[in-house]
Every structure is written in C-alpha cells, then in structure tokens.
Amino acid sequence: MAGVRPTVRRRRLAALLVSFREEAGRTAEEAADRIGCHRTKINRIENARLGVSLGELRDLLTFYGVEDPAQVEEMVSLAQRSREPGWVHRAGLARPTYTDFIDYEQTADYVRSYQANLVAGLLQTPDYARAVLSAAPSTLNQDEVEALVTARIKRQEVLQRTVPPRLCVIEGEAAIRLQIGGRQVMNKQLEHLATMAEHPSVELQVIPNRAGAHAGLAGSFVLFGFASSSFSSVVCVEHRTGTLYMETPAETEEYTLIFDSLRSIALSPGDSLDMIAKARQEL
C-alpha cells in the first residue's frame, strides 16, 4: 500500500540483501534475471518497499554465495517477520507510529534522548510511568493504562542485553523537579535515575534552569542511530496523537547539532548526579 512505512525488520532485510549482492559483485539486473523478474522489483525489495518470498530469498542468497546457515536463518527469520506488527501493536493499544518507535528503539545501537520535562521512557519506574500516562485526558481505561505501563517497562529490557545500545540522555531540570505522582513516587524515580546513570551504557546529564535560553527550547526529541550504514539516522518527535519521524540528512544533522549543543551546556554526569541527589533531599 502506498505511503505505508516499511518496518525496521524489512529495512534491515533490504540492507543486508544489498550488502550481499554488492559483495558478490552482482548487479540488480543479474539478480532480477536469477529470480525471473524485472529490475524494478529488485529495486523495490532493496528499498524495503516490497517484501520477498522465501523461495526468492533463498534463491538470491544462493546466487550471492551466502552459505553460512546462521546468516541464511537470520535472513529467513527477517523475511517471515517483516510484516509482523511489534509486540505493542499486537496488544491493540498503541498507534502505528508508536509501534515504529518501539522497533527503532529495539534495533538502534545509539539512542540520544533530550527530555525537557519528563524522565526518558527507558529510565522510568512503573509508578512514574503510570502517573504520566494517567495525567492527560484520555479514553484509555485503567486496564489499558496498565498494559501501556507494562509495555513501557518491557522496552527497558533492551538495556539488559549482552550488548545494549549506547544511551545518552539529557534531562531538563524540570524533569527532576516536577513531582510526578507525588513525593514518594518521585523519590523512587530519582533513586532509579541515579542507579541507571551508573549503567555502563548509559550517560545522563541535566541542563540546569540557570543555563537560560538553549537549543532545546523547541521541545523534546529522540535521535536513533544504527550500526548499518544502510540505515539512516531517525529523529522522533512525539506529539499528542502520534510521532513525527524525520530521516533526511539535513534533518538528522540539524538535530545532531542541537543535541551536541545541549550536551555542551548540560552539567557533567557527576554534577548531574549531585543535582539529582539534592532534588531528592528537597522532596
């Protein structure tokens, strides 16, 4: 269907097919001849705009000289799951744009998150997440809120992987001062934030209010980076009814500059922990 965003799994499958073809020294025309189709079909498969049947996939892998069973199995698995909605979407509670966000978060190797007023989702406690999700007017009932809280906490399992993504979070001071959920909930949240700041793959900084005007005044955003050069970086800006995704070089470079500017004016990780500790004492 025109306009449907390819899933991250399909993008990865497409990138690997391009890589295998180029390493084998094969052209798109030769690949098309191999499986008996027009070159435009190969182009669409390699641009992640069209899926590939398992038979065609296995034939192409043989043509490209991919014989490692583990690589073949990975490609087959990606093809089988390329149309499968993410686990959040299967729950029937999330918009498609949020499902995309989950996929990006689960496949990125570098996550940069600037949050002006809230603790980043990957660092939230269940009670804090529950308070955030319950705060805005919504048609969600309590069971649906709880399902989304569970989903948000499940997302955090990415940081427990053997090789977790690098996570750099910049919080506005408001994020550690607003008493989301009340003093007890916020105290536990700040304690958890300090604990997660010690995680080897997590870097946490806070921008103090005294910093004044800065590059992040337009609002929060998340910038995902991927190990494969075939995957462009993606900027995500969440709004009330969905998420805006930007991935042109001009857009991602702009947000990279913004993030780097914010890092330069934020407190050091050590001083940020001191501010968090002080905020806990003042609760």
Side-chain angles (χ1 to χ4, degrees):
M1 182 183 296
V4 174
R5 184 183 187 83
T7 65
V8 174
R9 297 184 187 99
R10 180 175 287 180
R11 290 178 66 193
R12 184 180 178 198
L13 176 69
L16 287 170
L17 281 173
V18 172
S19 177
F20 289 143
R21 178 176 61 75
E22 292 178 345
E23 289 177 5
R26 302 293 189 177
T27 65
E29 289 87 350
E30 290 173 328
D33 288 341
R34 173 73 179 200
I35 63 173
C37 70
H38 194 274
R39 176 182 172 172
T40 55
K41 179 174 180 177
I42 296 298
N43 290 339
R44 294 183 67 199
I45 290 172
E46 293 185 350
N47 288 328
R49 297 299 174 184
L50 180 69
V52 59
S53 72
L54 296 186
E56 291 173 333
L57 175 62
R58 291 184 183 278
D59 199 6
L60 287 173
L61 292 176
T62 298
F63 188 52
Y64 299 155
V66 179
E67 300 177 349
D68 184 343
Q71 287 184 317
V72 173
E73 181 59 31
E74 178 186 9
M75 297 293 282
V76 169
S77 177
L78 284 172
Q80 290 173 327
R81 299 167 59 210
S82 64
R83 294 189 181 90
E84 177 184 291
W87 46 267
V88 175
H89 186 57
R90 285 200 301 270
L93 299 174
R95 297 180 178 90
T97 54
Y98 186 51
T99 304
D100 287 342
F101 185 92
I102 298 297
D103 277 342
Y104 286 131
E105 193 173 65
Q106 297 297 304
T107 56
D109 73 322
Y110 188 18
V111 181
R112 285 164 284 185
S113 177
Y114 165 61
Q115 301 299 320
N117 299 309
L118 295 174
V119 171
L122 288 176
L123 303 178
Q124 292 180 7
T125 65
D127 286 339
Y128 182 96
R130 185 175 295 108
V132 170
L133 290 166
S134 301
S138 175
T139 58
L140 295 177
N141 61 41
Q142 190 58 40
D143 288 341
E144 291 171 330
V145 169
E146 289 302 317
L148 285 175
V149 170
T150 299
R152 182 162 299 187
I153 301 308
K154 184 175 177 62
R155 285 167 46 195
Q156 299 173 5
E157 293 177 2
V158 71
L159 296 175
Q160 306 308 318
R161 292 177 181 170
T162 303
V163 182
R166 180 184 175 193
L167 174 63
C168 293
V169 175
I170 298 176
E171 301 279 2
E173 184 174 344
I176 65 171
R177 296 290 185 184
L178 288 172
Q179 292 187 21
I180 304 295
R183 290 186 177 182
Q184 184 175 358
V185 169
M186 197 62 199
N187 183 59
K188 290 293 185 182
Q189 176 60 72
L190 293 179
E191 180 182 19
H192 180 67
L193 202 57
T195 298
M196 292 304 298
E198 302 294 338
H199 191 289
S201 70
V202 175
E203 180 180 287
L204 174 65
Q205 293 178 264
V206 178
I207 298 177
N209 290 335
R210 65 176 181 270
H214 56 70
L217 294 179
S220 305
F221 63 91
V222 180
L223 179 58
F224 294 118
F226 303 90
S228 173
S229 59
S230 298
F231 289 176
S232 60
S233 295
V234 179
V235 178
C236 303
V237 177
E238 189 175 0
H239 53 87
R240 185 69 186 111
T241 58
T243 305
L244 172 65
Y245 294 101
M246 296 168 279
E247 52 187 313
T248 67
E251 291 167 333
T252 58
E253 288 170 10
E254 178 75 13
Y255 276 88
T256 297
L257 287 174
I258 292 172
F259 195 85
D260 290 344
S261 174
L262 295 174
R263 291 183 74 177
S264 71
I265 66 166
L267 298 175
S268 68
D271 289 343
S272 296
L273 282 176
D274 289 342
M275 176 174 277
I276 292 171
K278 183 178 180 181
R280 287 189 68 195
Q281 292 173 354
E282 294 173 357
L283 282 173

